[in-house]
Amino acid sequence: MPAEMPADTKAAVRDMVTVKLPADSAYLSVLRTATAGLAARLDFTLDEIEDLRIAVDEACAMLLAQAVPGTDLECQFELTGDAMRIAVSVLTVDGVEPSRDTFAWTVLSSLAGDVDSTVGADDRVTVMLRKRRGAAGAQ
Amino acid sequence: MEFAVDQHVEQGVNIVKVSGEIDVFSSPRLREMLLDVIEKGPLRLVVDLGDVTFLDSTGLGVLVGIYHRLRARNGSMAFVGANERVRRVFHVTQLTKIFVLHDTLEEALAAEREDSRAGS
């Protein structure tokens, strides 16, 4: 795959990338690196890339706290022309959505554009975030 | 960069230099090391974040916990050398309202001397 794509081709890109890792904090740095690589592919600025790295880290950290030991953390990236949608999920013991009254949620919602969370029928908790290239970030 | 913590005492101030990434994986080690440092050394603490390449809310939680312990014992805590990305995390959590982020160690030590004089 070429490193550079023409602008008109880039706008039409809609790729799905799934990264599955053990639900263990030791692997978070790997996921942060993958996030940065994918964001760079969409020409996000360095500040936007760093925002995404932190946002994904925060989403994972809050989910790992209640993950079923020995299971996987799944991170799905949807790359469109100028935006990245990320869904991070784990199987949990209690199926509780992350509290929004925490440092972690404050950082996550400040650095990512739109943030939400859901609980599935199997107690799988998912945190979703979406960031658009060039959108003004909250300070 | 590997996560590491180095400590020394200068002008009666406990100076701790942290390197690498502070996240949910390394935070427990940071907490353990900082607790040990304030147990054995001066209660005036300056944390050098100059070589910290990543900081998340878990790390901030550790720093806030240490800050509360120090305050309860009339100690102090300040920071030096944080890059723009690390500062951003302090800003979005509004921790800049309680923590002082100095640019240089000299500036942090001068502020400590001033505080010490004002408190004595």
Side-chain angles (χ1 to χ4, degrees), chain A residues 38-61:
Chain A
L38 291 169
R41 186 174 155 68
L42 291 186
D43 286 344
F44 277 73
T45 65
L46 288 177
D47 282 345
E48 289 167 341
I49 291 171
E50 188 60 21
D51 286 356
L52 273 169
R53 283 181 74 219
I54 300 174
V56 167
D57 173 273
E58 296 291 354
C60 293

